[in-house]
Amino acid sequence: SGRTSKSLSDIEKDVHRTLSQHEYFQTEKARGELMSVLSAFAWRNPRIGYAQSMNVVAGTMLMFTEPSDAFW
């Protein structure tokens, strides 16, 4: 849907800004996991989609849990 496409565009922009000074997020693996978690959330919850700052919440969770746990 158009909303999901917009969410993906917004997520892509924010993934590269997320906690960029932290060593963990200087890797493609971490940025890929964050993109996956946020995209899956936006797809599963179309009424919510993606909102600014979700990247920081999900990113923090990814530093301490597996991507599947960060999603749920």
Side-chain angles (χ1 to χ4, degrees), residues 8 17 22 24 28-29 37 46 48 56-57 59 63 66 72:
L8 292 177
R17 299 180 223 182
H22 194 283
Y24 178 74
E28 284 298 318
K29 178 180 184 280
V37 168
I48 299 170
V56 176
V57 173
M63 288 191 288
E66 294 297 316
W72 289 110

Side-chain angles (χ1 to χ4, degrees), residues 14-58:
D14 284 349
V15 161
H16 293 284
R17 299 180 223 182
T18 303
L19 306 168
S20 60
Q21 299 302 311
H22 194 283
E23 181 179 331
Y24 178 74
F25 284 101
Q26 294 176 5
T27 68
E28 284 298 318
K29 178 180 184 280
R31 289 190 296 266
E33 289 173 348
L34 181 58
M35 182 76 187
S36 294
V37 168
L38 294 172
S39 300
F41 181 88
W43 182 83
R44 180 148 168 54
N45 300 283
R47 288 182 56 193
I48 299 170
Y50 172 74
Q52 194 171 17
S53 297
M54 285 180 169
N55 59 316
V56 176
V57 173

